[in-house]
Amino acid sequence: DIVMTQSPDSLTVSLGERATISCKSSQNILNTSNNKNYLAWYQQKPGQPPRLLIHWASTRESGVPDRFSGSGSGTDFTLTISSLQAEDVAVYYCHQYYSIHTFGQGTKLEIK
Amino acid sequence: EDQLVQSGAEVKKPGESLKISCKGSGYSFISYYIGWVRQTPGKGLEWMASIHPGDSDTRYSPSFQGQVTISADKSISTVYLQWSSLKASDTAMYYCARQPRYYDTLTGFYRGYYMDVWGKGTTVTVSS
């Protein structure tokens, strides 16, 4: 299985500041035949299911604020929140769907 | 609104059987895969299985193959996950999630990809 490793495990950021979460895959998840990275990002708030934020590594889901962006290719990916808002406090997960689906362990984002 | 509505919380004893459900509405149910994802404090999010209600194409994670059975009844837009003999280690939150269907150029088959609509979850507690 492809192992997804996120860093850091937890992150504290001030309101209005940038938050950056890293996700590394143990194998390449770029399909060179269609030039797509098979990676998604989710946000999970307490007591709620995960919510899809980004798929294909950088395609923002409809309704997701544009302060959320995804980047990276191959094995290294990043989720960036450009200006942290109070409602962004959550756990964030990456997910590869290149082969048998696997998820990162999660990154807990809190306000400083 | 596209949504998935899951069945309610369950409390069972080890060795008992269980079937939980996930009903889709607001979209073409037979056009997407539905997957099941287990969440536990210790292992996080784990994909278990997916099914395409339109043609019954079914995929299992090797970790869950033989441990659970996924099925679908497209006439009532519902997907199920069942256990024949529960263990204490099956205690978890179980989510169903919709997965867009794509042709996979890597394998030559169709399968479900990212998870764009999620149910609210079904808590399963297995305890003697």
Side-chain angles (χ1 to χ4, degrees):
Chain A
D1 292 3
I2 297 176
V3 176
M4 307 300 288
T5 304
Q6 293 181 227
S7 61
D9 288 334
S10 63
L11 181 62
T12 305
V13 176
S14 300
L15 288 172
E17 295 299 304
R18 178 185 301 262
T20 301
I21 299 170
S22 171
C23 175
K24 294 184 188 296
S25 58
S26 62
Q27 299 174 36
N28 171 62
I29 55 173
L30 168 66
N31 182 349
T32 54
S33 69
N34 59 13
N35 202 37
K36 288 183 180 293
N37 287 282
Y38 287 39
L39 184 103
W41 288 98
Y42 303 86
Q43 173 194 66
Q44 187 176 31
K45 298 181 179 180
Q48 296 184 20
R51 172 197 179 195
L52 177 66
L53 298 176
I54 287 167
H55 59 276
W56 301 125
S58 61
T59 301
R60 197 181 306 113
E61 186 73 355
S62 175
V64 173
D66 61 7
R67 63 180 181 274
F68 290 90
S69 64
S71 62
S73 184
T75 60
D76 294 306
F77 300 90
T78 302
L79 175 70
T80 302
I81 308 172
S82 60
S83 177
L84 190 71
Q85 304 300 303
E87 61 265 31
D88 300 335
V89 169
V91 179
Y92 292 84
Y93 296 94
C94 59
H95 159 219
Q96 67 78 20
Y97 44 95
Y98 185 86
S99 63
I100 297 169
H101 299 263
T102 52
F103 294 84
Q105 81 277 16
T107 295
K108 186 174 185 179
L109 177 59
E110 297 175 306
I111 304 285
K112 187 181 291 183
Chain B
E1 179 193 2
D2 301 357
Q3 61 177 348
L4 298 173
V5 177
Q6 296 186 228
S7 50
E10 302 276 359
V11 179
K12 291 289 191 178
K13 290 181 166 41
E16 291 185 334
S17 63
L18 176 64
K19 193 173 191 177
I20 61 176
S21 66
C22 171
K23 182 176 177 62
S25 63
Y27 70 97
S28 175
F29 186 71
I30 60 172
S31 298
Y32 291 80
Y33 282 82
I34 296 288
W36 287 97
V37 175
R38 183 172 80 175
Q39 186 169 34
T40 58
K43 294 189 175 182
L45 295 167
E46 300 173 278
W47 171 70
M48 303 174 71
S50 297
I51 189 166
H52 188 267
D55 61 12
S56 297
D57 180 40
T58 301
R59 310 295 175 97
Y60 287 94
S61 164
S63 298
F64 292 94
Q65 178 90 46
Q67 308 303 309
V68 296
T69 302
I70 191 171
S71 60
D73 185 344
K74 62 185 178 184
S75 69
I76 56 171
S77 302
T78 300
V79 169
Y80 303 95
L81 185 69
Q82 67 181 76
W83 295 258
S84 58
S85 181
L86 286 160
K87 309 180 189 67
S89 57
D90 293 318
T91 295
M93 175 69 82
Y94 292 87
Y95 292 104
C96 63
R98 188 180 78 174
Q99 298 176 264
R101 183 180 190 233
Y102 285 86
Y103 179 75
D104 185 0
T105 59
L106 296 167
T107 63
F109 296 100
Y110 284 93
R111 63 183 181 92
Y113 281 4
Y114 50 89
M115 299 171 187
D116 65 352
V117 177
W118 291 68
K120 293 190 186 304
T122 296
T123 300
V124 174
T125 303
V126 184
S127 174
S128 54

